[in-house]
Amino acid sequence: MSIISISGLTVDLGNQRILEGVDLDIDAGEWVNIIGPNGAGKTTMLRSLLGTVEHTGTIELDGTRPTKPIERARRLAYVPQSSVIPGGMHVGDYVLLGRTPHRGVFGRDSDTDCNIAMDVLTRLDLAEFTMREVGSLSGGERQRVVLARALAQQADIVLLDEPTTALDLGHQQEVLDLVESLRRDRGLTVVATLHDLTLAARYGDRIAVLSGGRIVETGLPSAVLTAATIAEHFGATVRIIDDPDGPVIVPTTGVPQ
Amino acid sequence: MTDASAAGTGGEPLRVARLRPGALVAGLVAVLGAMVIGMALGPVDISPKLIVYELLDDLPLIELDSGLSAQRVAIIEQIRLPRVVLGFLVGATLSVSGAAYQGAFRNPLADPYLLGIAAGAGLGATVAITQDWGDGGGFTDPVPLAAFGGALLAVVLSYTAGHVGGRSTASLVLAGVAVASFLTAAQTYVLQANSDAFREVYAWILGRIATSGWSEVVLMVPYFLLAAGIVFRYRRALDVLAVGDEEAQALGLEPRKIRVIVVLAASLGAAAAVSVSGLIGFVGIIVPHAVRLAFGASHRVLIPLSILFGGAFMVLADLAARTIVEPAELPIGVVTAFLGAPFFVLVLRTSRRSVW
């Protein structure tokens, strides 16, 4: 049975239709990458899952429709494309914010909450940063700290919006490898948006192509990432090189030699 | 063995932002110290030690003889004690409201007057004074009542107007600016048409901590408890709001609902403070920022310490207001800014923290 079941998802922002009749089922433990050109509605789709944008259509988690933010937050953890970093907050306190759905609006952080946060920090090699201010960290460290907050939430679904933006190649791999190992250990379900198509082919099980507010293709990376599909939806001319780990997308120059 | 290492992390336990006992003691000492000094100094100086004896003697089960004359006991208990208590209440309410506004709007420049409370109260007081609604004194004094009504009207108008322009905090803040300008214009018009009341209105606007017995204190206590209590209860939620509405909602909160509750509680407190003491500026900005710089930005620390240090600051500012040009009194709004601004610059220069 699908852990996430989206059907007929439609979102209007102002007078603009952003998503139109999106259907997508995602299995528990699956990693699905959503790709698509700028403005295709990738982030809006994640926000619909989070309940932060108004939408029509249905989004079910294990066959139920959570209505309150706190119910959703216990199932879904979110890593936004660029997080708001609060001034003066230490890494430890920031990661503890991930415990909010479990302690509620008024509750205190229990020893269990602190232990979970510390566990995650240790796991992500951030233990030494606990007393550093989040704002003083480098881009790569920050991204790991935001991921740590999401993991401290102990939700079984993680939504990642462009988790590798602003990271160099080494840190991109580091973050995605980390997500992959956590997925294996904890059986997380991962839904990510990614701009880098080769990375999208490397990590994850399935790719969904979002274009003009609709899902136009879904399937294995090797099936979806063809030169024709990319030309049609991204307006890009590419060559696909088959590699044992998945297709490699190489842009070719549009100017005739 | 710590809990954290027992759980298998092998590391140090997590140090969480919370109010440390040392900071709490510092705040309490500041409040009690300011109050005793505030009661000791005046046209008649009374030894702080004897004041402490006299007040302890009033407590049940404690018998202490201060040896003070009945007249001095009356000065302490009927004149100076209510005044320092009111000073504490007004200062504590304004600074906790300021801290709440800054947290709820995620804006370091937010103060309790952001949604037009000052302008609304100013209009209300001006109308009451110029229309000569009489002087009921105490609970029925029309000036504070009209100021309170004007302040609440301003907040309601700002919220209504801000909602029309969308639901962002920016549109609410802009609505506050528009409402404040509008009400200030109305107040200026009323005042121009009744220029004989100019001095009285001006004196009210500049603010003062004046008491006639305990009636102002009794008036102020419930609003202080309400505002401080609600904001204190939401201190952890305000820490979560620091990551922005979208992420706060992804963490399971309802940011808009929390903002409405916190802002309305803070506004009610600020409106009550303004109605008993006039427009005392700067406290709602300076005290929370000084606390952040000295003790940290977490609302778990900021909210309780803003209450304590805000109260202490106002008691000392009032002491300066009534002693510097004795027997005349300086407007307290002048004192808070005149003493507060240099002090704040000092804190700003010496602090190593980045809090915004």
Side-chain angles (χ1 to χ4, degrees):
Chain A
M1 178 174 144
S2 310
I3 190 167
I4 302 174
S5 179
I6 303 170
S7 71
L9 173 64
T10 300
V11 176
D12 292 312
L13 294 179
N15 293 325
Q16 188 110 21
R17 178 143 292 189
I18 308 294
L19 293 177
E20 182 157 18
V22 169
D23 300 319
L24 186 65
D25 286 330
I26 296 167
D27 289 333
E30 201 182 6
W31 178 335
V32 175
N33 287 316
I34 300 166
I35 63 167
N38 292 332
K42 303 186 292 292
T43 299
T44 303
M45 194 170 150
L46 295 188
R47 286 183 175 152
S48 309
L49 285 166
L50 279 173
T52 54
V53 291
E54 285 183 27
H55 57 262
T56 55
T58 58
I59 296 174
E60 291 183 346
L61 303 180
D62 285 328
T64 62
R65 282 191 239 174
T67 49
K68 291 187 169 169
I70 197 157
E71 293 168 9
R72 274 207 192 83
R74 286 178 189 152
R75 301 296 314 276
L76 297 159
Y78 175 51
V79 177
Q81 187 167 0
S82 58
S83 292
V84 178
I85 302 298
M89 195 180 282
H90 291 149
V91 168
D93 287 314
Y94 183 79
V95 172
L96 264 177
L97 293 181
R99 301 302 300 160
T100 307
H102 303 278
R103 65 167 173 74
V105 182
F106 303 119
R108 308 174 65 91
D109 297 312
S110 66
D111 286 348
T112 314
D113 293 326
C114 292
N115 289 340
I116 289 166
M118 203 61 220
D119 251 347
V120 172
L121 283 164
T122 310
R123 169 103 211 215
L124 270 62
D125 278 332
L126 291 166
E128 60 186 301
F129 294 115
T130 311
M131 289 307 288
R132 287 268 298 276
E133 284 180 12
V134 184
S136 72
L137 302 177
S138 74
E141 291 160 353
R142 242 185 241 194
Q143 193 67 359
R144 264 156 57 208
V145 168
V146 178
L147 189 61
R149 188 192 79 190
L151 294 175
Q153 234 171 301
Q154 292 192 323
D156 48 356
I157 305 165
V158 179
L159 308 178
L160 306 169
D161 194 5
E162 298 291 350
T164 56
T165 313
L167 297 184
D168 61 46
L169 189 57
H171 284 107
Q172 291 182 3
Q173 274 184 331
E174 186 183 294
V175 165
L176 294 175
D177 283 342
L178 194 63
V179 173
E180 176 59 24
S181 67
L182 290 163
R183 174 169 80 121
R184 285 187 192 154
D185 293 355
R186 299 192 180 178
L188 293 178
T189 305
V190 180
V191 183
T193 69
L194 283 173
H195 263 305
D196 188 313
L197 301 181
T198 304
L199 280 182
R202 277 303 128 106
Y203 294 89
D205 309 311
R206 208 152 49 109
I207 287 182
V209 183
L210 193 63
S211 181
R214 296 165 186 273
I215 299 258
V216 289
E217 306 244 5
T218 51
L220 295 174
S222 55
V224 171
L225 291 172
T226 61
T229 307
I230 292 168
E232 185 183 349
H233 299 293
F234 289 81
T237 51
V238 298
R239 203 148 40 90
I240 310 287
I241 298 174
D242 277 323
D243 181 87
D245 286 341
V248 176
I249 289 82
V250 184
T252 55
T253 170
V255 183
Q257 295 290 315
Chain B
M1 265 296 182
T2 62
D3 290 347
S5 54
T9 63
E12 292 284 305
L14 198 57
R15 261 174 71 92
V16 185
R18 61 182 177 82
L19 187 56
R20 313 266 161 210
L24 181 61
V25 168
L28 290 172
V29 166
V31 170
L32 294 176
M35 283 186 155
V36 169
I37 296 168
M39 281 188 282
L41 302 182
V44 182
D45 287 346
I46 304 171
S47 146
K49 193 174 84 177
L50 298 183
I51 289 174
V52 173
Y53 281 6
E54 187 57 44
L55 294 179
L56 287 176
D57 185 44
D58 289 345
L59 297 176
L61 302 177
I62 298 178
E63 287 292 331
L64 273 172
D65 186 13
S66 64
L68 289 169
S69 68
Q71 188 202 14
R72 299 208 161 189
V73 170
I75 289 176
I76 294 171
E77 293 186 347
Q78 298 306 314
I79 298 173
R80 292 191 188 167
L81 184 58
R83 185 152 177 162
V84 294
V85 171
L86 186 67
F88 170 82
L89 292 173
V90 167
T93 307
L94 287 177
S95 54
V96 80
S97 297
Y101 265 77
Q102 286 143 26
F105 289 103
R106 295 198 296 121
N107 183 339
L109 290 178
D111 78 354
Y113 303 150
L114 187 73
L115 299 181
I117 282 185
L123 175 63
T126 304
V127 169
I129 291 168
T130 56
Q131 301 308 306
D132 211 7
W133 284 352
D135 184 7
F139 295 103
T140 55
D141 191 350
V143 175
L145 283 177
F148 188 68
L152 292 188
L153 175 74
V155 175
V156 170
L157 283 178
S158 296
Y159 247 103
T160 316
H163 202 74
V164 174
R167 284 170 152 195
S168 72
T169 55
S171 72
L172 185 52
V173 172
L174 290 173
V177 171
V179 167
S181 305
F182 180 79
L183 295 178
T184 303
Q187 187 235 353
T188 310
Y189 174 77
V190 174
L191 195 54
Q192 286 297 324
N194 302 272
S195 52
D196 49 322
F198 200 85
R199 272 187 77 91
E200 202 182 336
V201 169
Y202 192 59
W204 184 89
I205 284 175
L206 286 174
R208 82 253 127 238
I209 303 291
T211 46
S212 48
W214 287 92
S215 61
E216 288 85 356
V217 171
V218 172
L219 213 61
M220 191 61 212
V221 163
Y223 294 104
F224 162 72
L225 291 177
L226 189 77
I230 290 177
V231 174
F232 183 75
R233 189 146 167 68
Y234 279 91
R235 64 199 184 283
R236 287 190 178 80
L238 286 170
D239 277 346
V240 184
L241 286 197
V243 299
D245 279 13
E246 181 175 59
E247 290 180 63
Q249 188 173 338
L251 290 169
L253 298 191
E254 297 173 70
R256 284 183 202 130
K257 192 172 135 190
I258 291 169
R259 186 175 299 112
V260 169
I261 294 170
V262 167
V263 166
L264 287 187
S267 301
L268 210 56
V274 165
S275 70
V276 299
S277 64
L279 304 182
I280 302 175
F282 217 53
V283 181
I285 294 245
I286 189 177
V287 174
H289 282 306
V291 170
R292 274 188 198 92
L293 291 165
F295 298 100
S298 167
H299 290 83
R300 278 168 274 183
V301 178
L302 175 64
I303 297 301
L305 292 185
S306 289
I307 295 172
L308 296 176
F309 285 106
F313 176 76
M314 189 63 81
V315 172
L316 292 179
D318 180 48
L319 175 66
R322 63 188 161 82
T323 52
I324 286 177
V325 291
E326 234 173 2
E329 284 196 19
L330 284 170
I332 193 162
V334 172
V335 178
T336 54
F338 197 77
L339 296 181
F343 169 73
F344 185 61
V345 170
L346 191 73
V347 176
L348 205 56
R349 300 253 329 168
T350 52
S351 173
R352 288 163 180 273
R353 291 176 196 266
S354 62
V355 292
W356 283 96

